[in-house]
Amino acid sequence: MAEYILETKGLGISFGGLKAAQDVNVRIKKNQIYGLIGPNGAGKTTIFNLLTGVYKPTTGTFYLDGEELKGLSQDKINHKGIARTFQNIRLFNNMTVVRNVMVGLHNQPEYNCTVFETLLRLPRHFKVEKAMRERAKELLRIFDLEQERNNLACNLPYGKQRKLEIARALATNPKLLLLDEPAAGMNPHETEDLVKTIRFIRDNFDMTILLIEHDMKFVAGLCDEITVLNFGTVLAEGDTKTALNDPEVIKAYIGG
């Protein structure tokens, strides 16, 4: 097994003459909760888009558990074991809560049905459908959403929509979970609850988590290590407390 679950080497991308990210080297150990932080426009979401196949790197590469994933499609990268949530929640609003999670299960081989089995409604179709629903309910239970399972996703309050998006990502059975500003828009109680949930996921799903977040209290209380980006390059990295107290990091956040 590779020493690092995620390793980027010289990762970067340019849009025309603009270098949105350049020479980004990140190494994350298995089961870490790792933070990617920086001021607005620092390139954080760009890195997430590179790691999930939304963008193709123009320089460098990256590895998941020792396997190079550069150039693969979003679908293949997800199958390899990287799942994400988004800064702006992207749920299937007109589907039920449980159906949203079941969508995430479709990339698992044990839940596959042939078109023939589905169209003719053969016994395997119903068996798989039942198994998917039970697994989805298990995931919803973790997030205290099981009682909401038959409600439309759009009718959930904001904090629960965030949790549902994480549950759907977990349904793809990832090795690495990317959370893009998971605490955005949450009140203090919801944020505290989210911290407990993320730790639970790490400890009970054998999961490694990489998150983007602007709430420095949230980052300081949760992340083992961080990388700080500024203008698309690495400004600081290492254990969270040391990196957050780096004079260059403070300068980047509050100005000269």
Side-chain angles (χ1 to χ4, degrees):
M1 190 177 76
E3 183 179 359
Y4 300 102
I5 192 73
L6 177 74
E7 184 172 13
T8 72
K9 293 185 177 180
L11 193 63
I13 187 170
S14 297
F15 300 103
L18 174 66
K19 293 182 177 179
Q22 56 181 316
D23 199 28
V24 175
N25 298 292
V26 174
R27 296 185 296 184
I28 302 176
K29 296 175 183 175
K30 186 175 175 62
N31 296 125
Q32 276 192 315
I33 300 174
Y34 199 101
L36 187 64
I37 71 167
N40 288 328
K44 304 179 297 295
T45 297
T46 297
I47 295 300
F48 268 31
N49 286 336
L50 289 169
L51 295 177
T52 53
V54 176
Y55 300 151
K56 308 298 181 188
T58 48
T59 59
T61 189
F62 65 101
Y63 302 84
L64 181 72
D65 209 10
E67 182 179 1
E68 187 174 20
L69 301 188
K70 177 186 175 181
L72 296 185
S73 67
Q74 295 180 60
D75 184 59
K76 287 183 178 177
I77 287 175
N78 180 247
H79 274 78
K80 293 291 185 181
I82 298 180
R84 74 175 293 183
T85 65
F86 293 86
Q87 184 176 349
N88 299 312
I89 298 171
R90 298 185 187 180
L91 295 171
F92 298 105
N93 284 320
N94 293 318
M95 289 172 57
T96 62
V97 168
V98 72
R99 281 284 174 188
N100 265 271
V101 178
M102 289 170 70
V103 167
L105 293 168
H106 277 287
N107 79 334
Q108 303 300 305
E110 62 265 37
Y111 300 120
N112 284 345
C113 274
T114 65
V115 174
F116 181 75
E117 288 170 329
T118 301
L119 286 176
L120 295 184
R121 315 288 279 180
L122 296 180
R124 174 165 167 76
H125 165 79
F126 293 103
K127 182 179 179 181
V128 168
E129 179 86 2
K130 182 180 179 182
M132 290 177 71
R133 186 173 291 275
E134 289 305 311
R135 177 56 179 157
K137 285 165 63 177
E138 287 176 11
L139 289 168
L140 290 172
R141 203 170 296 130
I142 291 166
F143 295 91
D144 198 26
L145 290 173
E146 189 183 5
Q147 298 304 314
E148 312 269 11
R149 65 185 181 276
N150 295 320
N151 295 337
L152 292 179
C154 61
N155 291 333
L156 290 180
Y158 183 85
K160 289 187 176 182
Q161 287 189 15
R162 279 277 177 203
K163 288 184 174 183
L164 176 57
E165 194 179 32
I166 296 173
R168 186 180 62 187
L170 280 177
T172 68
N173 195 28
K175 296 178 182 178
L176 175 67
L177 178 62
L178 309 184
L179 303 178
D180 195 345
E181 296 196 35
M186 288 189 172
N187 62 42
H189 175 75
E190 289 171 331
T191 301
E192 184 180 340
D193 189 42
L194 181 63
V195 168
K196 295 175 183 176
T197 300
I198 291 173
R199 286 188 178 133
F200 180 89
I201 292 168
R202 188 266 308 273
D203 295 340
N204 291 273
F205 283 79
D206 196 27
M207 188 69 61
T208 306
I209 297 165
L210 172 62
L211 61 89
I212 293 171
E213 188 51 64
H214 283 291
D215 184 337
M216 290 301 99
K217 184 179 178 182
F218 181 87
V219 170
L222 186 61
C223 295
D224 304 306
E225 294 186 80
I226 61 173
T227 288
V228 186
L229 296 179
N230 196 29
F231 298 112
T233 62
V234 175
L235 185 62
E237 60 187 336
D239 74 87
T240 303
K241 184 177 180 180
T242 301
L244 287 178
N245 286 290
D246 186 302
E248 290 301 313
V249 171
I250 296 170
K251 182 179 176 182
Y253 270 98
I254 66 174

